[in-house]
Amino acid sequence: MSCVLGIETSCDETAVAIVGEDGRVLAEEVASQIALHAPHGGIVPEVAARAHLELLPELAARVLAESGLRREDIAAVAATTGPGLKVALVVGAAFGKALAFGWRKPFVAVHHLEAHALSVRMLADVAFPYLLLLVSGGHTQLVVVEDLGRYHALGTTIDDAAGETFDKGARLLGLGYPGGPAIARAAIGGDPYRFDLPRPLRGATAFAFSFAGLKTALQQRLHRLGGVEKLDAESRRDLAASFEQAIVDVLVDRLDRALDHYRSHWRPARPTLVAAGGVAANERLREALCALGQEKEVEIVVPPARYCTDNAAMVAYAGRERLLRGWVDGLDAPVRARWPLDESRAGRLGGGRKGPKA
Ligand code: KG4
Ligand code: ZN
């Protein structure tokens, strides 16, 4: 028996899902809190936690009903226990532990980034190892996924995460929250090369990312144009497109070399690049990844947009992979706001912990 119920509350999405015996999604619910946080221009942790608390019982009941399963059919309950907003994580973890206790099933503590890293495997036949570009609101990482629980981090951001950069850029441009989709919409039909914005660390030999300078450059450019209020529609469109293009170029530049490095050091039989995390939902990035894949003769696998952003199916799936190896946790499993995926190299790869989820 391996049906697993998963719970995700690490940030502003309240989500519950069940994966079945074959690892495919049987039922899922995601309640976005965007409308709750939008007036604040970002996520307010206590507001998120309270909403999780109110939403979870209803979502769990609905998912169980949709799945057609009975409680007895659930083999384990999995919940994200980090990294993320502590007060938000605590709610999902406590709820998951209570279900596990009440149903007399094992509890599986899931690492949010491991869930993102594995999500592709619940949708497609992707074998270990693979190179992963993990780009979300709190993280920008290049990781070799060697096996379940074995992650070799190649590099991370030294300042802001890619999604955070989209969010900050959108705020500067007077667009809504979350910033990624808002910038992508505003950029439609724009000229991505009209404004010359920097590509920080281009050509650098390490696999680090930096985005803070790009945000500052946007701020300065806006200032020179007379402020966001003075922007005409065409300039706003071109600026959004140029900003989006700069982020994509930075990611592709690092990936290009990371793929060579991965190939020569891991010698995979079938080199595969997987992208995950909210920013992987970005169309301009997805197109650039496909082009890169063709150029470098590497298979590119990117989950559909709704499985790139936060969801509980990936948590249930990661919980199921762990359960199948017998890796379950006690009800005393801690919640960890910070929790590097590759603990052995975490200290050496620098910062990148400024995002809302860090
Ligand atoms: O993975 P995710 O849902 O939550 C975290 O774990 O952080 O990622 C959220 C981030 C936000 O910064 C959001 O602006 C960005 O992903 N994002 C996008 C798009 N959709 C979401 N960025 C660019 N283009 C998109 N279409
Ligand atoms: Zn995430």
Side-chain angles (χ1 to χ4, degrees):
M1 229 176 57
S2 61
C3 299
V4 174
L5 182 139
I7 297 160
E8 160 62 36
T9 64
S10 67
C11 199
D12 61 338
E13 254 95 30
T14 317
V16 183
I18 295 176
V19 293
E21 300 288 344
D22 57 358
R24 308 282 159 185
V25 184
L26 281 182
E28 61 181 321
E29 292 283 344
V30 185
S32 165
Q33 303 176 7
I34 286 175
L36 266 183
H37 299 283
H40 307 282
I43 297 154
V44 184
E46 284 72 21
V47 173
R50 180 183 289 255
H52 291 318
L53 193 60
E54 286 168 3
L55 289 163
L56 276 176
E58 161 82 26
L59 292 188
R62 236 191 283 160
V63 160
L64 195 62
E66 272 168 39
S67 72
L69 299 178
R70 297 159 308 160
R71 290 173 187 186
E72 306 83 84
D73 303 323
I74 302 289
V77 179
T80 304
T81 55
L85 300 171
K86 196 150 194 170
V87 290
L89 287 165
V90 164
V91 176
F95 186 75
K97 288 174 182 180
L99 282 187
F101 180 75
W103 295 353
R104 296 193 179 84
K105 304 291 178 183
F107 175 72
V108 188
V110 171
H111 191 301
H112 182 80
L113 302 185
E114 176 171 81
H116 273 303
L118 301 177
S119 57
V120 71
R121 286 165 53 83
M122 78 185 169
L123 305 159
D125 191 14
V126 178
F128 299 121
Y130 49 89
L131 179 65
L132 171 75
L133 172 70
L134 183 58
V135 270
S136 69
H139 301 272
T140 301
Q141 298 191 10
L142 277 166
V143 181
V144 180
V145 180
E146 296 178 328
D147 194 358
L148 181 64
R150 267 191 29 219
Y151 307 95
H152 184 102
L154 293 180
T156 181
T157 173
I158 56 174
D159 41 53
D160 296 346
E164 186 182 5
T165 308
F166 270 111
D167 296 335
K168 288 180 174 174
R171 211 176 307 168
L172 289 172
L173 286 166
L175 304 167
Y177 180 86
I183 288 199
R185 270 194 307 275
I188 292 172
D191 174 0
Y193 299 103
R194 171 162 159 212
F195 294 103
D196 184 24
L197 295 172
R199 270 61 172 165
L201 300 183
R202 174 146 60 186
T205 48
F207 298 112
F209 299 90
S210 167
F211 292 102
L214 179 54
K215 182 205 64 193
T216 308
L218 175 67
Q219 201 166 18
Q220 288 166 347
R221 177 59 70 153
L222 271 168
H223 186 69
R224 264 182 281 152
L225 290 167
V228 68
E229 313 77 29
K230 295 259 168 62
L231 269 191
D232 58 88
E234 194 183 345
S235 297
R236 184 193 296 258
R237 204 164 55 218
D238 293 346
L239 207 44
S242 302
F243 189 69
E244 187 182 36
Q245 187 66 47
I247 296 175
V248 169
D249 285 352
V250 167
L251 295 173
V252 169
D253 176 75
R254 247 29 54 82
L255 264 179
D256 190 319
R257 278 173 320 97
L259 277 170
D260 294 341
H261 178 82
Y262 170 57
R263 262 204 173 115
S264 62
H265 286 72
W266 274 265
R267 304 195 171 280
R270 246 176 70 193
T272 305
L273 168 69
V274 171
V279 179
N282 183 271
E283 277 305 324
R284 202 181 290 265
L285 176 62
R286 294 166 84 94
E287 281 165 25
L289 292 180
C290 285
L292 182 71
Q294 274 179 357
E295 181 195 323
K296 312 220 45 123
E297 293 177 355
V298 167
E299 190 175 353
I300 306 284
V301 194
V302 189
R306 72 192 172 104
Y307 290 122
C308 288
T309 51
D310 287 349
N311 64 86
M314 68 180 189
V315 177
Y317 180 80
R320 180 179 174 277
E321 288 219 17
R322 292 195 152 255
L323 176 74
L324 292 176
R325 301 227 185 163
W327 300 351
V328 298
D329 299 270
L331 294 182
D332 57 351
V335 157
R336 294 175 64 180
R338 289 185 180 186
W339 187 2
L341 195 52
D342 178 356
E343 302 208 57
S344 65
R345 298 166 56 79
R348 282 180 281 152
L349 291 174
R353 304 196 188 91
K354 292 188 183 161
K357 307 208 52 172

